[in-house]
Every structure is written in structure tokens, then in C-alpha cells.
Amino acid sequence: MSDGSSFYITTPIFYVNDVPHIGHAYTEVAADVLARWHRQAGDDTWFLTGTDEHGQKILRTATANGVTPKEWADRLVESAWQPLLKTIDISNDDFIRTTDERHEVNVQLFLQRLFDAGYIYTGEYEGYYCVGCEEYKADSDLVDGTGEYEGQKVCAIHSKPVELLKERNYFFKMSEFSQRLLDLYEENPNFIQPESVRNEIVSFVRRGLTDLSISRQTFDWGVKVPWDESHVVYVWFDALLNYITAAGYGYDDEAFASRWPATHIVGKDIARFHAVIWPAMLMAAGLEVPKQVFGHGWLLVGGEKMSKSKLTGIAPNQITDTFGSDAFRYYFMRAINFGQDGSFSWEDLSARYQAELANGFGNLASRVIAMVTRYFDGVIPDAGVLDAPDQAIRDTEVRVTAAADAAISRLAIHEAIAQVWQLVDELNGYITLQEPWALSKDPANRERLGTVLNTAVRGIGTLAVLLSPVLPVATSKLWTALNGAGAVSDQPIRSAFDWAGGTTVSALEPLFPRIETSETDGSAA
Ligand code: ME8
């Protein structure tokens, strides 16, 4: 229903120690498709993304490059992270940097409130820290190093040695929230999704939580602890707060009240921070917990989690330069069940581009428009009496619209696209069976030809509306060719089948041009 309900969606804020790869772009696209869908449904949508700029990881990278951490962050944000959003057509409403004043000031406000409420104390931290994860590690998180790290304990994720910390720090009384968190997970089973991530987190919290060290004293790249400026706030404690500092916490109560709580889309690596530490922080501050934390799966390359440090990183524009941003968005949202791991391969991308986008959708649209141009001089014919196959197409339009919307509300993006694609396939089958080119040969079939092409035009218009969140570029070209009213991205998506078009069609440029690929590796030539 277009009830104008509020939909606030976020991605993680990404570390600026390096440039983005397709894993980051994957999260951005998923959140973007959901945001565009809700916006098009008339929901009061707010989509936030941004960058995580404090902490030792950034400090060390900047130092190694001979610049200050702020200079480094500015450089990476301007040259890499902001441009990424353009490369893949991200429609974010806001971009927060943890070095923004609105963020730093209100991190301090939040921390002071927790301190005043008695949730923070000083203590001695002794244990291991992985700068790659920016996380304190339990012994069970470590494995024996190999090669140059033989004989040392290394982080299981980064395969690099952890550092032994012994510092006097401030601690957050997280252990007090174990039961309240378990109650939350039980009362709201959707709070953490998918199920596999939820199960892992529930059993982690059942083992009991320890208090969390939330400040560091040995370096100064971070937000200063307001009552003790010799400490900076632990980078995760600082970073998680972006979701409320961007929404107005501490300086715009009205915006904050209308936006918060959010749906957080994150990779499963960081679901625990979002579903344990973050709600505990919010509970301590007397604020609402997030609506949902969704931990999606890994993009795998050659069977391994794709990552820059393991040199399997692929830059998003390596794909978009050849296939375009729509194909990037479509491929990752369609080929991978959202929530599960999925392997990227150039062969699969090329094959789907050709079969589904170029032959399936693109050809359908261009054939229908070409036939209206050829047989009716570009004037969209009226429908006469509907036969069963015509009615079946109309029924499919209504059915897939509802089914796709239901799938989106479960964040099952792949399923929403698969539903809509039933209409692509049925329309292709319909045209093959109805043979408008044969009908056109006999003037006695003029009305029937009109009904068939009217049905087909209505169908591709419905597709334009439904696919606009995934394929914003192609659907907007198609909408222009259909002389649809306004922008396709403004068409109410929950009644996509009721779209209002013009009376004529105009020329349509190829939506998914042919791409030559090399036969040996499937990659673009
Ligand atoms: O963790 N497959 O930032 P980060 C899928 N700054 N997604 C991937 C991926 C892959 N192979 N690799 C990365 C941080 N991602 C913190 C977050 S939030 C308050 C702070 C995506 O730059 C995925 O979304 O290391 C993952 O969670 C995120 O990048 C990690 O980004």
C-alpha cells in the first residue's frame, strides 16, 4: 500500500583505506534497489550511505602514503567513493562521513549521555586487536600463521598477525544487555535476517556478552572522548552512530523522529556489530533499536571471498565500462539469492546479458515498438475484444506486481526480479504465438492486430515501471519511447499495470547493445 510509511535504509559506511571493489558496489546496489522501489511506491524513503574514516587502519594507510589521515580520506572520498555512486547509479539521499561535524559532535553527545547514565567505566584492556577488522579478538578468533607469519597467531579473516594491546580504556557495560537482546531476537524474529545469520548471532549472545572497550589512548585519529580528551572513541562505536547522526540525532529532532529506525543492509561479516553492539548502545541511550539488520552473503571470485588484500578485487567500472550500469545492477541482483553467497564470473555475466537483457527484455521492447511503428504509423492501437491469451497477459501483470512487491518487503530482491521476468517471458511467448506479422497481412485481422499490439505495449510499459528500480537507464529510455507521462521512476510501482502512457510510440535506441566477448575467458574483448 502507498501509505507513505517511512522507509529509512542504510549501507555500511565503508573504510577509506582503499578504493571500492564490486563487493562494496553490491551492497550499494541492493540498498539502492530497495530504496528506489519504496520511493516509487510512495513511501517516505531516505537512503543513507557514506564513509568510515577514523581508526588505526586509515591512520596507518595515510601515514604510509605521507599524508594526514584527513587528507587521505578527502582524496579517497573525492576520487573513488563518491564517483562509485555515479558509476552504478546510486540514488542516495545523503552521504555521511565520520569526519563531518554533525557526526563528531553528536557522537560526543551520545557518549556523554551514556556516561551520565552510568553505562561507562574505566578499566584495563588486555588482549588482541586486528587492525584489518578494527576489532578486539578472542583467542577462538585466531589461527596459526603460515609463511612469513609462521609461529605467530593471526586473524582468521585477514591472515595477518594481531597486536597485543594493554591499555587503560573506557568500557561500555554491554554485558548488561544480553537478556534484552535475546528477548528482542525472540519477539522480533525478523530483526536479524537471513535465518543463517540470525542463528549465528543468537547463539553468540546466548554464550553471554562481555563489556566492550570503547576508547583508545595510543593514537589520536578519532572523535575525542568528551570528558577525557586523552582518549579517542573506538572506531566501531563511532561508526555505528552514523546511522543516527545522519538522521538528525542531537540537532534535528523532527527529522530524527520521522526517519529512525532504519533497515540496515550489511555484509554478514559485520552483522554482529549491527545486531549486538548497536542495539545494545541504543538501548542504553533509551532509543529505538533498528527495524532490521540484513546480513547479505559474499561475492566469491574463484571460490574465495573477493577482497582487495587477496588480489581478487574487481573494480566496478571494469564491468560497467563494457556492460553498462544497468547490467551490473541486474546481474548481481538476479544471479545471487540475496542473503546467500554467490560466485561472480565473466562468463555468467556475459551469458545473462545476452540471453536475459538483450534477447529477453531489450528485443521484446524494440520489436513491439517497431511493429506499432510499422503497422500503425506509431499510433498505439486500441484493444478490441480480449481473447484468453490477452487476458492472461493482463492477469500476469497484476499478479507479478503484487508478488514482486511482497518479495521486496522480505528483501528477496532476486525473487522480485524473477517474478517480473515471468512477464518478460510470457510476453515473448505471446508475441511468438499471436504472430502480429502474420495478422498484418490480412486487413480482416486489423482489429485483432490492434488488440495484440495494444496488449504488448501495455505489457512493456508495465515492465518499464516494475524494472525501473533495477534498470533505471534502460527503463527510462523505454518510457521515453512509449511517451509515458512524467518520469518512469515516478510511476506508482504497486499499481504498475495501471500506467498511463501516451497515444504514440517514438523510436527506441537499443537498450542492451551487442557486446563482443573473447571466446577463451568469456571476458569482454
Ligand atoms: O566493515 N562480498 O567497512 P568495509 C560482498 N567500515 N560484500 C562485500 C564483500 C564481498 N566480497 N567485500 C566487502 C566496514 N563487502 C566498516 C563498516 S558500518 C557502521 C562500518 C561489503 O569497507 C559488505 O557490505 O570493510 C561488507 O559488510 C562491507 O563491504 C565491509 O566494508
Side-chain angles (χ1 to χ4, degrees), residues 233-277:
V233 179
Y234 168 44
V235 62
W236 266 102
F237 201 89
D238 160 356
L240 287 163
L241 286 164
N242 89 87
Y243 302 126
I244 61 170
T245 60
Y249 173 79
Y251 60 96
D252 187 344
D253 293 344
E254 206 180 314
F256 184 57
S258 75
R259 282 182 199 142
W260 187 253
T263 296
H264 298 309
I265 306 296
V266 300
K268 62 184 175 182
D269 53 333
I270 57 172
R272 207 194 272 180
F273 291 93
H274 286 79
V276 180
I277 300 179

mmCIF file of all heavy atoms in Angstrom, residues 233-277:
data_model
loop_
_atom_site.group_PDB
_atom_site.id
_atom_site.type_symbol
_atom_site.label_atom_id
_atom_site.label_comp_id
_atom_site.label_asym_id
_atom_site.label_seq_id
_atom_site.Cartn_x
_atom_site.Cartn_y
_atom_site.Cartn_z
ATOM 1 N N VAL A 233 37.425 7.781 20.624
ATOM 2 C CA VAL A 233 36.370 6.768 20.648
ATOM 3 C C VAL A 233 36.750 5.607 19.724
ATOM 4 O O VAL A 233 37.238 5.831 18.604
ATOM 5 C CB VAL A 233 35.033 7.400 20.199
ATOM 6 C CG1 VAL A 233 33.913 6.364 20.179
ATOM 7 C CG2 VAL A 233 34.669 8.585 21.086
ATOM 8 N N TYR A 234 36.517 4.392 20.175
ATOM 9 C CA TYR A 234 36.752 3.179 19.370
ATOM 10 C C TYR A 234 36.011 3.318 18.040
ATOM 11 O O TYR A 234 34.841 3.701 17.995
ATOM 12 C CB TYR A 234 36.261 1.970 20.176
ATOM 13 C CG TYR A 234 36.160 0.677 19.419
ATOM 14 C CD1 TYR A 234 37.160 0.260 18.543
ATOM 15 C CD2 TYR A 234 35.054 -0.160 19.587
ATOM 16 C CE1 TYR A 234 37.057 -0.940 17.858
ATOM 17 C CE2 TYR A 234 34.939 -1.364 18.916
ATOM 18 C CZ TYR A 234 35.942 -1.741 18.040
ATOM 19 O OH TYR A 234 35.829 -2.927 17.360
ATOM 20 N N VAL A 235 36.691 2.991 16.947
ATOM 21 C CA VAL A 235 36.183 3.319 15.612
ATOM 22 C C VAL A 235 34.816 2.691 15.310
ATOM 23 O O VAL A 235 33.968 3.319 14.659
ATOM 24 C CB VAL A 235 37.228 2.972 14.518
ATOM 25 C CG1 VAL A 235 37.553 1.493 14.483
ATOM 26 C CG2 VAL A 235 36.768 3.451 13.148
ATOM 27 N N TRP A 236 34.527 1.506 15.807
ATOM 28 C CA TRP A 236 33.212 0.914 15.540
ATOM 29 C C TRP A 236 32.103 1.624 16.307
ATOM 30 O O TRP A 236 30.992 1.804 15.798
ATOM 31 C CB TRP A 236 33.204 -0.584 15.876
ATOM 32 C CG TRP A 236 33.497 -1.409 14.665
ATOM 33 C CD1 TRP A 236 34.679 -2.010 14.347
ATOM 34 C CD2 TRP A 236 32.578 -1.706 13.589
ATOM 35 N NE1 TRP A 236 34.565 -2.666 13.145
ATOM 36 C CE2 TRP A 236 33.297 -2.497 12.667
ATOM 37 C CE3 TRP A 236 31.256 -1.383 13.322
ATOM 38 C CZ2 TRP A 236 32.704 -2.972 11.486
ATOM 39 C CZ3 TRP A 236 30.672 -1.845 12.152
ATOM 40 C CH2 TRP A 236 31.399 -2.630 11.254
ATOM 41 N N PHE A 237 32.401 2.031 17.545
ATOM 42 C CA PHE A 237 31.412 2.739 18.352
ATOM 43 C C PHE A 237 31.058 4.062 17.666
ATOM 44 O O PHE A 237 29.888 4.449 17.572
ATOM 45 C CB PHE A 237 32.008 2.978 19.746
ATOM 46 C CG PHE A 237 30.999 3.222 20.820
ATOM 47 C CD1 PHE A 237 30.444 2.170 21.539
ATOM 48 C CD2 PHE A 237 30.601 4.512 21.132
ATOM 49 C CE1 PHE A 237 29.518 2.404 22.542
ATOM 50 C CE2 PHE A 237 29.671 4.758 22.131
ATOM 51 C CZ PHE A 237 29.131 3.694 22.836
ATOM 52 N N ASP A 238 32.085 4.703 17.152
ATOM 53 C CA ASP A 238 31.959 5.948 16.398
ATOM 54 C C ASP A 238 31.161 5.692 15.109
ATOM 55 O O ASP A 238 30.152 6.352 14.813
ATOM 56 C CB ASP A 238 33.396 6.425 16.150
ATOM 57 C CG ASP A 238 33.624 7.409 15.018
ATOM 58 O OD1 ASP A 238 32.679 7.731 14.299
ATOM 59 O OD2 ASP A 238 34.789 7.833 14.846
ATOM 60 N N ALA A 239 31.558 4.652 14.346
ATOM 61 C CA ALA A 239 30.973 4.404 13.027
ATOM 62 C C ALA A 239 29.489 4.051 13.104
ATOM 63 O O ALA A 239 28.678 4.549 12.320
ATOM 64 C CB ALA A 239 31.735 3.287 12.329
ATOM 65 N N LEU A 240 29.126 3.191 14.036
ATOM 66 C CA LEU A 240 27.721 2.761 14.113
ATOM 67 C C LEU A 240 26.788 3.955 14.332
ATOM 68 O O LEU A 240 25.651 3.974 13.839
ATOM 69 C CB LEU A 240 27.548 1.731 15.237
ATOM 70 C CG LEU A 240 28.139 0.348 14.925
ATOM 71 C CD1 LEU A 240 28.317 -0.473 16.200
ATOM 72 C CD2 LEU A 240 27.245 -0.403 13.923
ATOM 73 N N LEU A 241 27.310 4.958 15.036
ATOM 74 C CA LEU A 241 26.455 6.113 15.332
ATOM 75 C C LEU A 241 26.103 6.933 14.098
ATOM 76 O O LEU A 241 25.211 7.778 14.136
ATOM 77 C CB LEU A 241 27.121 6.987 16.401
ATOM 78 C CG LEU A 241 27.051 6.378 17.814
ATOM 79 C CD1 LEU A 241 28.034 7.065 18.750
ATOM 80 C CD2 LEU A 241 25.626 6.497 18.376
ATOM 81 N N ASN A 242 26.784 6.661 12.954
ATOM 82 C CA ASN A 242 26.473 7.442 11.744
ATOM 83 C C ASN A 242 24.998 7.344 11.380
ATOM 84 O O ASN A 242 24.417 8.262 10.822
ATOM 85 C CB ASN A 242 27.344 6.974 10.567
ATOM 86 C CG ASN A 242 26.714 5.833 9.782
ATOM 87 O OD1 ASN A 242 25.925 6.038 8.861
ATOM 88 N ND2 ASN A 242 27.025 4.597 10.152
ATOM 89 N N TYR A 243 24.399 6.187 11.690
ATOM 90 C CA TYR A 243 23.012 5.965 11.271
ATOM 91 C C TYR A 243 22.041 6.915 11.968
ATOM 92 O O TYR A 243 20.962 7.171 11.462
ATOM 93 C CB TYR A 243 22.609 4.514 11.553
ATOM 94 C CG TYR A 243 23.480 3.485 10.869
ATOM 95 C CD1 TYR A 243 24.094 2.462 11.595
ATOM 96 C CD2 TYR A 243 23.692 3.532 9.494
ATOM 97 C CE1 TYR A 243 24.893 1.514 10.971
ATOM 98 C CE2 TYR A 243 24.498 2.589 8.866
ATOM 99 C CZ TYR A 243 25.091 1.579 9.609
ATOM 100 O OH TYR A 243 25.879 0.650 8.986
ATOM 101 N N ILE A 244 22.426 7.380 13.155
ATOM 102 C CA ILE A 244 21.538 8.362 13.803
ATOM 103 C C ILE A 244 22.065 9.795 13.657
ATOM 104 O O ILE A 244 21.278 10.721 13.551
ATOM 105 C CB ILE A 244 21.219 8.013 15.280
ATOM 106 C CG1 ILE A 244 22.475 7.978 16.146
ATOM 107 C CG2 ILE A 244 20.444 6.702 15.371
ATOM 108 C CD1 ILE A 244 22.144 7.866 17.649
ATOM 109 N N THR A 245 23.387 9.958 13.614
ATOM 110 C CA THR A 245 23.866 11.348 13.462
ATOM 111 C C THR A 245 23.468 11.900 12.087
ATOM 112 O O THR A 245 23.206 13.090 11.944
ATOM 113 C CB THR A 245 25.395 11.473 13.661
ATOM 114 O OG1 THR A 245 26.063 10.671 12.684
ATOM 115 C CG2 THR A 245 25.829 11.061 15.052
ATOM 116 N N ALA A 246 23.392 11.020 11.075
ATOM 117 C CA ALA A 246 22.953 11.495 9.752
ATOM 118 C C ALA A 246 21.466 11.798 9.750
ATOM 119 O O ALA A 246 20.992 12.606 8.959
ATOM 120 C CB ALA A 246 23.265 10.456 8.683
ATOM 121 N N ALA A 247 20.716 11.132 10.629
ATOM 122 C CA ALA A 247 19.256 11.275 10.597
ATOM 123 C C ALA A 247 18.762 12.411 11.490
ATOM 124 O O ALA A 247 17.561 12.614 11.618
ATOM 125 C CB ALA A 247 18.609 9.959 11.021
ATOM 126 N N GLY A 248 19.678 13.138 12.085
ATOM 127 C CA GLY A 248 19.250 14.299 12.861
ATOM 128 C C GLY A 248 19.450 14.175 14.363
ATOM 129 O O GLY A 248 19.162 15.124 15.107
ATOM 130 N N TYR A 249 19.957 13.051 14.831
ATOM 131 C CA TYR A 249 20.117 12.865 16.276
ATOM 132 C C TYR A 249 20.946 14.002 16.875
ATOM 133 O O TYR A 249 22.052 14.283 16.416
ATOM 134 C CB TYR A 249 20.805 11.517 16.574
ATOM 135 C CG TYR A 249 21.164 11.335 18.034
ATOM 136 C CD1 TYR A 249 20.192 10.957 18.963
ATOM 137 C CD2 TYR A 249 22.462 11.561 18.486
ATOM 138 C CE1 TYR A 249 20.514 10.812 20.301
ATOM 139 C CE2 TYR A 249 22.791 11.415 19.824
ATOM 140 C CZ TYR A 249 21.811 11.049 20.730
ATOM 141 O OH TYR A 249 22.127 10.912 22.057
ATOM 142 N N GLY A 250 20.380 14.658 17.875
ATOM 143 C CA GLY A 250 21.123 15.700 18.571
ATOM 144 C C GLY A 250 20.958 17.093 17.981
ATOM 145 O O GLY A 250 21.305 18.073 18.623
ATOM 146 N N TYR A 251 20.437 17.207 16.741
ATOM 147 C CA TYR A 251 20.329 18.556 16.166
ATOM 148 C C TYR A 251 19.065 18.774 15.344
ATOM 149 O O TYR A 251 18.751 19.901 15.002
ATOM 150 C CB TYR A 251 21.565 18.893 15.310
ATOM 151 C CG TYR A 251 21.772 17.946 14.151
ATOM 152 C CD1 TYR A 251 21.312 18.256 12.871
ATOM 153 C CD2 TYR A 251 22.410 16.722 14.339
ATOM 154 C CE1 TYR A 251 21.500 17.385 11.813
ATOM 155 C CE2 TYR A 251 22.589 15.837 13.281
ATOM 156 C CZ TYR A 251 22.136 16.172 12.032
ATOM 157 O OH TYR A 251 22.305 15.297 10.992
ATOM 158 N N ASP A 252 18.341 17.709 14.983
ATOM 159 C CA ASP A 252 17.088 17.902 14.255
ATOM 160 C C ASP A 252 16.115 16.811 14.705
ATOM 161 O O ASP A 252 15.980 15.767 14.057
ATOM 162 C CB ASP A 252 17.346 17.840 12.739
ATOM 163 C CG ASP A 252 16.101 18.201 11.921
ATOM 164 O OD1 ASP A 252 14.985 18.200 12.504
ATOM 165 O OD2 ASP A 252 16.242 18.475 10.712
ATOM 166 N N ASP A 253 15.452 17.086 15.825
ATOM 167 C CA ASP A 253 14.601 16.074 16.460
ATOM 168 C C ASP A 253 13.475 15.624 15.541
ATOM 169 O O ASP A 253 13.089 14.461 15.523
ATOM 170 C CB ASP A 253 13.988 16.614 17.763
ATOM 171 C CG ASP A 253 15.067 16.847 18.810
ATOM 172 O OD1 ASP A 253 16.177 16.316 18.619
ATOM 173 O OD2 ASP A 253 14.798 17.573 19.795
ATOM 174 N N GLU A 254 12.970 16.577 14.749
ATOM 175 C CA GLU A 254 11.837 16.241 13.884
ATOM 176 C C GLU A 254 12.251 15.246 12.794
ATOM 177 O O GLU A 254 11.592 14.225 12.574
ATOM 178 C CB GLU A 254 11.320 17.523 13.247
ATOM 179 C CG GLU A 254 9.870 17.449 12.858
ATOM 180 C CD GLU A 254 9.436 18.762 12.237
ATOM 181 O OE1 GLU A 254 9.773 19.828 12.802
ATOM 182 O OE2 GLU A 254 8.799 18.714 11.177
ATOM 183 N N ALA A 255 13.380 15.545 12.157
ATOM 184 C CA ALA A 255 13.877 14.626 11.113
ATOM 185 C C ALA A 255 14.170 13.271 11.742
ATOM 186 O O ALA A 255 13.812 12.223 11.186
ATOM 187 C CB ALA A 255 15.132 15.198 10.468
ATOM 188 N N PHE A 256 14.809 13.304 12.890
ATOM 189 C CA PHE A 256 15.179 12.047 13.532
ATOM 190 C C PHE A 256 13.926 11.216 13.852
ATOM 191 O O PHE A 256 13.878 10.014 13.576
ATOM 192 C CB PHE A 256 15.996 12.328 14.806
ATOM 193 C CG PHE A 256 16.488 11.079 15.466
ATOM 194 C CD1 PHE A 256 17.273 10.163 14.767
ATOM 195 C CD2 PHE A 256 16.160 10.800 16.788
ATOM 196 C CE1 PHE A 256 17.733 8.991 15.368
ATOM 197 C CE2 PHE A 256 16.617 9.622 17.400
ATOM 198 C CZ PHE A 256 17.394 8.730 16.681
ATOM 199 N N ALA A 257 12.910 11.873 14.402
ATOM 200 C CA ALA A 257 11.692 11.146 14.767
ATOM 201 C C ALA A 257 11.010 10.564 13.541
ATOM 202 O O ALA A 257 10.434 9.473 13.588
ATOM 203 C CB ALA A 257 10.735 12.087 15.507
ATOM 204 N N SER A 258 11.084 11.268 12.411
ATOM 205 C CA SER A 258 10.375 10.744 11.240
ATOM 206 C C SER A 258 11.186 9.660 10.519
ATOM 207 O O SER A 258 10.626 8.816 9.849
ATOM 208 C CB SER A 258 10.010 11.876 10.284
ATOM 209 O OG SER A 258 11.158 12.297 9.609
ATOM 210 N N ARG A 259 12.524 9.672 10.679
ATOM 211 C CA ARG A 259 13.322 8.690 9.932
ATOM 212 C C ARG A 259 13.635 7.432 10.735
ATOM 213 O O ARG A 259 13.487 6.320 10.233
ATOM 214 C CB ARG A 259 14.640 9.314 9.499
ATOM 215 C CG ARG A 259 14.412 10.183 8.306
ATOM 216 C CD ARG A 259 15.652 10.817 7.768
ATOM 217 N NE ARG A 259 15.217 11.934 6.957
ATOM 218 C CZ ARG A 259 15.811 13.092 6.883
ATOM 219 N NH1 ARG A 259 16.924 13.312 7.552
ATOM 220 N NH2 ARG A 259 15.326 14.048 6.135
ATOM 221 N N TRP A 260 14.169 7.616 11.886
ATOM 222 C CA TRP A 260 14.609 6.479 12.682
ATOM 223 C C TRP A 260 13.400 5.680 13.155
ATOM 224 O O TRP A 260 12.393 6.286 13.493
ATOM 225 C CB TRP A 260 15.455 6.980 13.878
ATOM 226 C CG TRP A 260 16.057 5.850 14.626
ATOM 227 C CD1 TRP A 260 15.692 5.376 15.846
ATOM 228 C CD2 TRP A 260 17.122 5.017 14.171
ATOM 229 N NE1 TRP A 260 16.466 4.298 16.190
ATOM 230 C CE2 TRP A 260 17.343 4.046 15.172
ATOM 231 C CE3 TRP A 260 17.897 4.975 12.995
ATOM 232 C CZ2 TRP A 260 18.319 3.057 15.033
ATOM 233 C CZ3 TRP A 260 18.854 3.994 12.876
ATOM 234 C CH2 TRP A 260 19.059 3.059 13.889
ATOM 235 N N PRO A 261 13.433 4.334 13.201
ATOM 236 C CA PRO A 261 14.565 3.421 12.979
ATOM 237 C C PRO A 261 14.757 3.008 11.518
ATOM 238 O O PRO A 261 13.842 3.118 10.709
ATOM 239 C CB PRO A 261 14.187 2.203 13.814
ATOM 240 C CG PRO A 261 12.697 2.165 13.765
ATOM 241 C CD PRO A 261 12.252 3.604 13.736
ATOM 242 N N ALA A 262 15.958 2.493 11.230
ATOM 243 C CA ALA A 262 16.355 2.157 9.865
ATOM 244 C C ALA A 262 16.405 0.651 9.637
ATOM 245 O O ALA A 262 16.473 -0.138 10.568
ATOM 246 C CB ALA A 262 17.744 2.733 9.595
ATOM 247 N N THR A 263 16.409 0.312 8.347
ATOM 248 C CA THR A 263 16.742 -1.045 7.909
ATOM 249 C C THR A 263 18.207 -1.007 7.486
ATOM 250 O O THR A 263 18.574 -0.207 6.621
ATOM 251 C CB THR A 263 15.860 -1.432 6.694
ATOM 252 O OG1 THR A 263 14.500 -1.455 7.137
ATOM 253 C CG2 THR A 263 16.246 -2.792 6.137
ATOM 254 N N HIS A 264 19.045 -1.839 8.114
ATOM 255 C CA HIS A 264 20.475 -1.837 7.792
ATOM 256 C C HIS A 264 20.815 -2.994 6.864
ATOM 257 O O HIS A 264 20.619 -4.156 7.213
ATOM 258 C CB HIS A 264 21.322 -1.983 9.051
ATOM 259 C CG HIS A 264 21.161 -0.872 10.033
ATOM 260 N ND1 HIS A 264 21.263 0.455 9.695
ATOM 261 C CD2 HIS A 264 20.929 -0.886 11.377
ATOM 262 C CE1 HIS A 264 21.097 1.203 10.776
ATOM 263 N NE2 HIS A 264 20.886 0.412 11.806
ATOM 264 N N ILE A 265 21.350 -2.667 5.691
ATOM 265 C CA ILE A 265 21.866 -3.699 4.788
ATOM 266 C C ILE A 265 23.385 -3.742 4.988
ATOM 267 O O ILE A 265 24.059 -2.723 4.781
ATOM 268 C CB ILE A 265 21.562 -3.343 3.301
ATOM 269 C CG1 ILE A 265 20.068 -3.074 3.095
ATOM 270 C CG2 ILE A 265 22.067 -4.447 2.375
ATOM 271 C CD1 ILE A 265 19.172 -4.239 3.336
ATOM 272 N N VAL A 266 23.884 -4.881 5.392
ATOM 273 C CA VAL A 266 25.330 -5.026 5.630
ATOM 274 C C VAL A 266 25.773 -6.380 5.098
ATOM 275 O O VAL A 266 24.950 -7.254 4.830
ATOM 276 C CB VAL A 266 25.670 -4.938 7.143
ATOM 277 C CG1 VAL A 266 25.238 -3.606 7.736
ATOM 278 C CG2 VAL A 266 25.035 -6.093 7.931
ATOM 279 N N GLY A 267 27.087 -6.578 4.958
ATOM 280 C CA GLY A 267 27.602 -7.912 4.660
ATOM 281 C C GLY A 267 27.586 -8.726 5.942
ATOM 282 O O GLY A 267 27.632 -8.157 7.042
ATOM 283 N N LYS A 268 27.543 -10.040 5.808
ATOM 284 C CA LYS A 268 27.408 -10.859 7.024
ATOM 285 C C LYS A 268 28.632 -10.749 7.931
ATOM 286 O O LYS A 268 28.537 -11.058 9.110
ATOM 287 C CB LYS A 268 27.101 -12.309 6.669
ATOM 288 C CG LYS A 268 28.171 -13.014 5.869
ATOM 289 C CD LYS A 268 27.732 -14.418 5.476
ATOM 290 C CE LYS A 268 28.780 -15.038 4.570
ATOM 291 N NZ LYS A 268 28.439 -16.378 4.105
ATOM 292 N N ASP A 269 29.776 -10.277 7.393
ATOM 293 C CA ASP A 269 30.969 -10.098 8.235
ATOM 294 C C ASP A 269 30.723 -9.128 9.373
ATOM 295 O O ASP A 269 31.329 -9.242 10.431
ATOM 296 C CB ASP A 269 32.154 -9.589 7.386
ATOM 297 C CG ASP A 269 31.826 -8.338 6.565
ATOM 298 O OD1 ASP A 269 30.648 -8.133 6.230
ATOM 299 O OD2 ASP A 269 32.758 -7.572 6.254
ATOM 300 N N ILE A 270 29.853 -8.154 9.145
ATOM 301 C CA ILE A 270 29.684 -7.120 10.159
ATOM 302 C C ILE A 270 28.269 -7.109 10.735
ATOM 303 O O ILE A 270 27.866 -6.150 11.376
ATOM 304 C CB ILE A 270 30.080 -5.725 9.604
ATOM 305 C CG1 ILE A 270 29.270 -5.365 8.355
ATOM 306 C CG2 ILE A 270 31.571 -5.689 9.274
ATOM 307 C CD1 ILE A 270 29.490 -3.918 7.896
ATOM 308 N N ALA A 271 27.534 -8.201 10.497
ATOM 309 C CA ALA A 271 26.173 -8.282 11.034
ATOM 310 C C ALA A 271 26.201 -8.268 12.562
ATOM 311 O O ALA A 271 25.329 -7.696 13.207
ATOM 312 C CB ALA A 271 25.482 -9.541 10.517
ATOM 313 N N ARG A 272 27.226 -8.880 13.139
ATOM 314 C CA ARG A 272 27.282 -8.959 14.601
ATOM 315 C C ARG A 272 27.411 -7.570 15.246
ATOM 316 O O ARG A 272 26.800 -7.279 16.256
ATOM 317 C CB ARG A 272 28.458 -9.846 15.007
ATOM 318 C CG ARG A 272 28.237 -10.506 16.343
ATOM 319 C CD ARG A 272 29.536 -11.079 16.855
ATOM 320 N NE ARG A 272 29.765 -12.433 16.388
ATOM 321 C CZ ARG A 272 30.857 -13.135 16.725
ATOM 322 N NH1 ARG A 272 31.787 -12.609 17.490
ATOM 323 N NH2 ARG A 272 31.003 -14.361 16.278
ATOM 324 N N PHE A 273 28.225 -6.702 14.641
ATOM 325 C CA PHE A 273 28.344 -5.334 15.170
ATOM 326 C C PHE A 273 26.973 -4.645 15.148
ATOM 327 O O PHE A 273 26.623 -3.904 16.054
ATOM 328 C CB PHE A 273 29.307 -4.504 14.313
ATOM 329 C CG PHE A 273 30.735 -4.920 14.421
ATOM 330 C CD1 PHE A 273 31.279 -5.824 13.519
ATOM 331 C CD2 PHE A 273 31.553 -4.422 15.424
ATOM 332 C CE1 PHE A 273 32.611 -6.210 13.600
ATOM 333 C CE2 PHE A 273 32.879 -4.798 15.524
ATOM 334 C CZ PHE A 273 33.415 -5.697 14.608
ATOM 335 N N HIS A 274 26.236 -4.911 14.071
ATOM 336 C CA HIS A 274 24.957 -4.217 13.877
ATOM 337 C C HIS A 274 23.816 -4.812 14.683
ATOM 338 O O HIS A 274 22.841 -4.125 14.984
ATOM 339 C CB HIS A 274 24.579 -4.217 12.390
ATOM 340 C CG HIS A 274 25.405 -3.271 11.586
ATOM 341 N ND1 HIS A 274 26.687 -3.561 11.173
ATOM 342 C CD2 HIS A 274 25.145 -2.017 11.135
ATOM 343 C CE1 HIS A 274 27.178 -2.536 10.495
ATOM 344 N NE2 HIS A 274 26.259 -1.587 10.446
ATOM 345 N N ALA A 275 23.905 -6.096 14.984
ATOM 346 C CA ALA A 275 22.768 -6.755 15.644
ATOM 347 C C ALA A 275 23.031 -7.011 17.120
ATOM 348 O O ALA A 275 22.140 -7.456 17.837
ATOM 349 C CB ALA A 275 22.457 -8.067 14.923
ATOM 350 N N VAL A 276 24.258 -6.716 17.584
ATOM 351 C CA VAL A 276 24.560 -6.915 19.011
ATOM 352 C C VAL A 276 24.998 -5.585 19.635
ATOM 353 O O VAL A 276 24.294 -5.003 20.466
ATOM 354 C CB VAL A 276 25.661 -8.000 19.207
ATOM 355 C CG1 VAL A 276 25.952 -8.180 20.699
ATOM 356 C CG2 VAL A 276 25.247 -9.313 18.572
ATOM 357 N N ILE A 277 26.169 -5.095 19.212
ATOM 358 C CA ILE A 277 26.701 -3.870 19.834
ATOM 359 C C ILE A 277 25.754 -2.690 19.619
ATOM 360 O O ILE A 277 25.423 -1.947 20.540
ATOM 361 C CB ILE A 277 28.097 -3.519 19.250
ATOM 362 C CG1 ILE A 277 29.071 -4.671 19.517
ATOM 363 C CG2 ILE A 277 28.612 -2.215 19.837
ATOM 364 C CD1 ILE A 277 30.473 -4.436 18.953
#
